[in-house]
Amino acid sequence: MLLCIDCGNTNTVFSIWDGERFLCTLRTSTHHARTADAYFTWFSTLIKHYGIETDITEVIISSTVPRVVWNLRVFADRFFNARALVVGKPECALPHPPRVDEGTQVGPDRLVNAVSAFDRHGGDIIVVDFGTATTFDVVSKDGAYIGGVIAPGVNLSLEALHMAAAALPHVDITKPQRVIGTNTVACIQSGVFWGYVGLVKEICARIKAERERDMQVIATGGLAPLFQQSEALFDAFEEDLTMHGLTVIHQYNKDIGNL
């Protein structure tokens, strides 16, 4: 079985792939000081709780936090006797290498999402990922990642607003009943919700205009369904987009003899 690990700035997700489906998905907070032993204690306890019998022999990692990669590789080696494949490292090949400025390091999660979206939907795609940052990744007709846009994440914006303005409370994002708020919380919720709706619409429209073609917009990340409530912002929502991409990249490296 294959263990897919996606480490983001806020959360780290572990999913077990049996070759046909994901048996389970586990989530923990990202912490660079967490040791391999701590990962295994947490992981094995949850696996036992859910009654899942696993025989993990392979591991692939995508991480936007470089400092956690070492302990995750030790975790894979020590407890599964597996040499982890790490997206972004020279030994991990991509089906379609990115076409960006020379010397540019693209976030591994963005590369994985591009591979996944192309595998499921074909080319000419914009992937909108609602994570710690809200990212827009452009995938060409042939499947290559060719660039994108990075904007502050929704929760990051809310936290920054709360921290910078002492009189403003911290609020949860939700779709407001009206655009014009009649209290402070409603005003903030309206500004953030409709502000991000406008952000998504405008950036996607400008990408399509710059590319001079119609493009599918694929969303991922926990807040995507919330923003889809307003109007048809996205052509599809993929909850497991990143994890699916990891399985595609792992299989590609097996096929070309890297594993």
Side-chain angles (χ1 to χ4, degrees):
M1 292 183 184
L2 172 65
L3 176 60
C4 300
I5 304 176
D6 173 39
C7 177
N9 290 296
T10 305
N11 293 314
T12 301
V13 182
F14 294 67
S15 289
I16 301 172
W17 175 255
D18 69 357
E20 296 182 355
R21 63 188 180 94
F22 288 110
L23 299 181
C24 71
T25 295
L26 310 174
R27 186 180 301 266
T28 185
S29 59
T30 297
H31 196 303
H32 71 272
R34 184 171 285 130
T35 64
D37 293 347
Y39 277 118
F40 183 72
T41 300
W42 166 83
F43 182 80
S44 60
T45 299
L46 284 181
I47 291 298
K48 183 178 180 181
H49 173 76
Y50 288 117
I52 299 172
E53 295 184 6
T54 63
D55 182 20
I56 294 169
T57 57
E58 298 171 300
V59 179
I60 183 169
I61 300 169
S62 168
S63 176
T64 59
V65 187
R67 289 192 294 174
V68 307
V69 173
W70 168 254
N71 282 324
L72 288 173
R73 296 184 85 160
V74 173
F75 164 72
D77 178 66
R78 179 178 298 168
F79 297 106
F80 304 115
N81 194 29
R83 174 179 171 271
L85 184 66
V86 181
V87 178
K89 298 295 184 181
E91 63 271 16
C92 180
L94 298 175
H96 308 279
R99 295 196 293 271
V100 294
D101 293 344
E102 186 175 354
T104 299
Q105 290 189 336
V106 182
D109 56 331
R110 304 180 75 181
L111 295 174
V112 173
N113 284 348
V115 169
S116 184
F118 180 74
D119 183 70
R120 284 182 166 174
H121 300 279
D124 285 333
I125 293 175
I126 303 168
V127 179
V128 184
D129 188 352
F130 291 89
T132 303
T134 300
T135 58
F136 299 75
D137 298 316
V138 183
V139 184
S140 68
K141 185 177 181 179
D142 63 359
Y145 171 89
I146 58 172
V149 177
I150 301 176
V154 177
N155 288 320
L156 190 64
S157 295
L158 282 168
E159 187 65 27
L161 187 63
H162 170 63
M163 294 295 292
L168 297 181
H170 186 280
V171 302
D172 293 326
I173 183 63
T174 186
K175 181 183 178 181
Q177 294 182 344
R178 302 175 60 197
V179 175
I180 301 173
T182 54
N183 57 69
T184 302
V185 170
C187 288
I188 295 173
Q189 288 175 333
S190 182
V192 172
F193 182 86
W194 293 112
Y196 272 87
V197 168
L199 177 108
V200 171
K201 291 176 66 176
E202 183 67 14
I203 289 180
C204 288
R206 288 183 175 270
I207 290 173
K208 293 176 183 179
E210 191 169 289
R211 296 283 293 161
E212 297 182 336
R213 66 193 67 190
D214 190 30
M215 305 179 75
Q216 293 185 80
V217 180
I218 310 301
T220 191
L223 289 176
L226 172 66
F227 288 100
Q228 186 76 332
Q229 292 178 21
S230 63
E231 47 196 286
L233 290 177
F234 318 117
D235 295 296
F237 167 67
E238 300 280 1
E239 184 177 9
D240 63 343
L241 189 70
T242 305
M243 287 303 173
H244 175 71
L246 287 174
T247 69
V248 174
I249 293 172
H250 185 269
Q251 186 60 51
Y252 176 75
N253 279 269
K254 291 186 73 170
D255 292 343
I256 65 174
N258 278 4
L259 297 174

